[in-house]
Amino acid sequence: MNRTPPLKLLAGALLAGSLAATASTAFALEIDPNVPPEISLGGRLVGTTNLTSKDRPVGGEQTNTELDIADTSVSIGLAKYLFRTGGYAFGNFGLVLPEDDSDLEDNLFVHEVRIGVGHKDWEISLGRSRLPNTLVTFPTIRDDDLLAFTHVGNGNANVEAEEDQIYGGVVQGNLWFTPEWRVMGAATARAETDLANLGSTERTSRSDLNGLAAGVFWEMPESIRFDRGLRFAGLSLDWQQADRVGGGEEEDISAIIGGAVINLSDDPEASWSIDLQGIYNLGSSVPSLDANVSRARAEQYAVVGALRYIDRPYLQTNWQAALTVGWRDYADISSASAFAITPSVAWRIGSGINVVGQYRYLDQDIALAAAENNSASHTLLAGLTFSLDTTFNESVGERNSILTMEHDMLDVGPVNRGH
C-alpha cells in the first residue's frame, strides 16, 4: 500500500491553512455589518354606514344604504442610515381596500411601493405612491369624497376607480432651500386604458411615464405652526400626455394648482383655520362629457374651501368640526357646473380612534347631470376610524409618521410634506 510521507501531509496542511487564512482575511476586508432597519407599521381602518339619495334625470330618485369599509389600509415602512452622515434610505409598502363598485381587477390595491434616499435638505424617491395632483388635505372622511373638486383627473384612463385617479408611478425629488421653502419635481406614470375604445376599462399600462409635475411650497415650521397667519402655501404644475379620445394623435393636458392653509387664531388649544385650493385645467379637445376620461381632461375650474375648528385641551385633540364647500365648472360647455357642501365632525374617543360623521350635498347643472345621470344627491356617513402607528428599532432620526401617506380628516396642511 502506498503511504503519503508525513512531510507531504504537513506541507499540504500548511498550504490549506494558508489558503483558508488568506480567504478569511480577504472576506474580513469587506466590512458590511448586518444593520437591522427601523421598522414602522401603520394602518387605518375606516368603517361607515352610508345613506345616499340621488335625483337622477333618467330613472328617477334612487336611495341606497351600504356598509362602506373602503380606504382601509395597512402599510409597512423600513429605514436605514446611509454611510454618509445624516443620509437615510427608506422603503414603503402599502395595501388599500377599493370601493365595492370599483372596476379594479382585484379586491386589494397596492397603493404604495416606494424606495428613496434623502438628507435633511433633499429627498429622491421612486415607485407607486400618491400623484402630485392635489396640494391640501381637506377635512372629509375619505380623500375621494370630493375627488372631482380636489384632484386633477386622470386624462389617460376611462375608469370607475378612485385609486387610478389618486395613485400612480412617481419619480420625485424634493429640495429644501430653507426649513420653510421646498421645490419639487416629478415624472409620473398614470394608469392608461384604450381610449380608442371607451367601453374597455382594462388597463393597458400603469408603468409608462406619461406626465410631469413641478411645484414650489412654503410651510410654517412645526415649532410655530399655531401662530396666526399663513401656515402653508403652494403652487404646482401638473402635465399629462394622453392619446386623443377616439384615436389619433397625442394631446397635452396641463393643470395649475394653488393652495393655502391660514390660521385664524393663535391658540393651539382652540384652533380655527381655513383650507383653500384652486385648480385650473387648461384641458384638451373632448367630444362630450359622457365619459369619465372626457370629464377629466376638459377645460375646467375647481375651487375648494374649508373652515375647521379643532378643540385641543392640553394639546390633545378632542374633536373637530368643519365645513367644506366646493365648486367646479367646465369652461367650454354651458350648464356644466357643480356645487358641493360638506359639513363633517370627528370626535376622538381614544388614541387614533375617532367617531366620525359627514353630510354631503351635491348639485349639478343640466349638462353635467345628464352626463353623470345625477342632478342632485344627499349622502350621510356615520362610523368609526382606527389608526395604528408604531415603530420598532427606532434609529433613523426624526421623520414623518408612516400615516402621513394616508388621508386623515384631522390633518391640517399639505398632502405631501416629504421626509
Side-chain angles (χ1 to χ4, degrees), residues 73-118:
S73 62
V74 61
S75 305
I76 181 171
L78 306 171
K80 284 185 179 183
Y81 271 126
L82 302 179
F83 293 142
R84 179 182 174 182
T85 303
Y88 59 88
F90 66 92
N92 297 326
F93 178 82
L95 297 169
V96 67
L97 287 176
E99 299 279 353
D100 278 346
D101 58 356
S102 170
D103 59 17
L104 289 173
E105 300 89 342
D106 301 311
N107 293 327
L108 282 174
F109 182 77
V110 179
H111 71 304
E112 186 79 19
V113 179
R114 189 160 54 108
I115 307 167
V117 293

Side-chain angles (χ1 to χ4, degrees), residues 1 28 35 65 101 130 156 169 191 195 229 292 296 312-313 327-329 352 405:
M1 175 182 291
V35 179
T65 304
D101 58 356
R130 286 184 174 272
N156 289 276
L195 298 184
N292 292 307
R312 302 177 72 240
W327 171 83
R328 64 182 173 124
D329 180 71
M405 299 189 310

Side-chain angles (χ1 to χ4, degrees), residues 72-73 85 125 127 195 209 258 372 388 398 406:
T72 291
S73 62
T85 303
S125 64
L195 298 184
L209 291 172
E372 298 188 359
L388 166 68
E398 183 177 349
E406 313 298 339

Side-chain angles (χ1 to χ4, degrees), residues 47-48 141 318-321 344-350 352-358 381-386 409-410:
T48 60
I141 293 178
N318 187 21
W319 56 272
Q320 172 185 277
S344 63
V345 63
W347 174 34
R348 176 153 289 181
I349 59 175
I353 307 168
N354 304 313
V355 177
V356 296
Q358 178 177 287
L381 290 77
L384 290 167
T385 65
F386 182 102
M409 65 188 300
L410 292 171

Side-chain angles (χ1 to χ4, degrees), residues 346-376:
W347 174 34
R348 176 153 289 181
I349 59 175
S351 178
I353 307 168
N354 304 313
V355 177
V356 296
Q358 178 177 287
Y359 166 74
R360 183 188 66 196
Y361 171 71
L362 174 67
D363 182 83
Q364 302 192 124
D365 278 350
I366 297 173
L368 193 55
E372 298 188 359
N373 195 26
N374 179 18
S375 57

Side-chain angles (χ1 to χ4, degrees), residues 15-31:
L15 178 60
S18 176
L19 291 174
T22 302
S24 177
T25 303
F27 181 78
L29 289 176
E30 179 61 38
I31 302 174

Side-chain angles (χ1 to χ4, degrees), residues 35-40 78-82 84-90 118-120 123 222 389-402 418-419:
V35 179
E38 177 180 290
I39 302 173
S40 298
L78 306 171
K80 284 185 179 183
Y81 271 126
L82 302 179
R84 179 182 174 182
T85 303
Y88 59 88
F90 66 92
H119 199 265
K120 64 182 182 67
E123 185 174 276
E222 185 175 3
D389 178 14
T390 186
T391 300
F392 304 95
N393 189 36
E394 189 168 355
S395 55
V396 189
E398 183 177 349
R399 301 181 65 240
N400 285 330
S401 163
I402 193 172
H419 283 326

Side-chain angles (χ1 to χ4, degrees), residues 132 134-136 181-185 213-219 232-238 255-260 276-280 414:
T134 187
L135 294 184
V136 177
W181 285 98
R182 170 173 63 97
V183 294
M184 175 275 294
V216 57
F217 314 101
W218 180 90
E219 186 175 9
F232 166 79
L235 182 67
S236 68
L237 173 67
D238 181 86
I256 301 169
I257 315 171
L276 299 170
Q277 181 179 279
I279 297 174
Y280 172 46

